[in-house]
Amino acid sequence: MERKIGIIYCSTDGQTKKICEKLSADFKKEQIKTELFSIENFIGHVSEFHTLIIGASIRYGKHNKKIYDFILKNKEQLKGIKTAFFSVNLVARKVDKNTTATNPYLIKFIQDTNWNPDFLEVFAGKLDYKSYSIIDSIMIKLIMKLTDGPTNSKDPIEFTNWEKVNDFGKKISVSFKSNKPTPILHKI
């Protein structure tokens, strides 16, 4: 079987997809075969991949149910390959909530799924009031007000730390390249 990385994302407003596209482009520059899918379009099998990365965004404090369902449905197969998960949320814009040990959404997701990926990360997302529906805009402004975030920005604010995204990708790339397939031994 060909060694490759699969990347599956569930993106609410496009930032998770953008992060996944960046990771995919970086892997391809390193000549690592990579396939990118939205959770809605993934019809393959987990076992097709040497490494599977899953990225998911938060809306109103929750990851999309499709991500939970995917993890729970494929939990046994995920144990047989290298895995990575990252969460994208606006709470991660805060210094005290931007690590895997301090981000409440990531911690809850790992507890709820009882899944232990090989690589775990959290990234801050993007705030773009103009792109939201009226209801989403009002709700997100209320949440921002409660969490001391910006409530009156006319321009999008990208909180994503792209150096952190690069570092995450490099860790996965190093693991992928160093994990040589086991040679098949023939008995004589």
Side-chain angles (χ1 to χ4, degrees):
M1 180 191 314
E2 184 178 21
R3 288 169 40 96
K4 58 186 172 180
I5 293 178
I7 304 174
I8 298 174
Y9 64 88
C10 185
S11 192
T12 307
D13 297 312
Q15 194 68 5
T16 304
K17 180 182 179 190
K18 185 176 177 180
I19 292 168
C20 289
E21 289 170 340
K22 168 79 167 98
L23 290 169
S24 179
D26 289 348
F27 295 140
K28 286 178 180 178
K29 282 181 193 170
E30 294 191 43
Q31 299 181 356
I32 297 172
K33 184 167 173 68
T34 307
E35 294 182 16
L36 179 66
F37 308 90
S38 72
I39 190 75
E40 291 86 6
N41 296 333
F42 182 75
I43 55 171
H45 296 281
V46 169
S47 61
E48 293 175 36
F49 301 98
H50 171 276
T51 303
L52 186 66
I53 302 168
I54 300 172
S57 62
I58 290 286
R59 181 52 61 96
Y60 302 131
K62 296 185 180 187
H63 290 95
N64 188 299
K65 184 177 180 330
K66 291 177 184 176
I67 291 293
Y68 282 99
D69 292 345
F70 181 85
I71 300 295
L72 296 175
K73 177 183 170 192
N74 293 287
K75 203 171 206 180
E76 284 306 309
Q77 294 89 340
L78 290 169
K79 289 178 184 176
I81 62 171
K82 292 274 186 189
T83 56
F85 177 78
F86 68 88
S87 176
V88 178
N89 56 77
L90 287 171
V91 170
R93 76 186 189 285
K94 297 180 139 212
V95 174
D96 62 335
K97 305 272 194 239
N98 71 359
T99 69
T100 59
T102 61
N103 187 270
Y105 301 125
L106 181 66
I107 293 167
K108 182 169 178 14
F109 180 84
I110 295 302
Q111 288 172 344
D112 288 350
T113 59
N114 193 28
W115 178 45
N116 295 306
D118 299 291
F119 302 95
L120 198 57
E121 194 54 85
V122 62
F123 303 117
K126 180 174 87 173
L127 184 65
D128 185 4
Y129 289 117
K130 286 183 182 178
S131 72
Y132 305 144
S133 69
I134 292 171
I135 292 172
D136 282 345
S137 183
I138 291 168
M139 294 299 293
I140 293 169
K141 282 182 182 183
L142 176 62
I143 292 166
M144 284 292 121
K145 184 175 177 106
L146 293 172
T147 61
D148 297 320
T151 58
N152 197 19
S153 176
K154 291 182 173 107
D155 296 319
I157 303 170
E158 190 172 71
F159 293 102
T160 306
N161 178 335
W162 291 101
E163 190 58 40
K164 191 174 178 181
V165 173
N166 288 339
D167 291 345
F168 182 66
K170 285 177 189 172
K171 288 176 192 172
I172 294 168
S173 178
V174 166
S175 172
F176 181 87
K177 288 179 175 182
S178 68
N179 190 2
K180 308 261 188 250
T182 307
I184 298 172
L185 301 175
H186 299 282
K187 291 184 180 181
I188 299 177

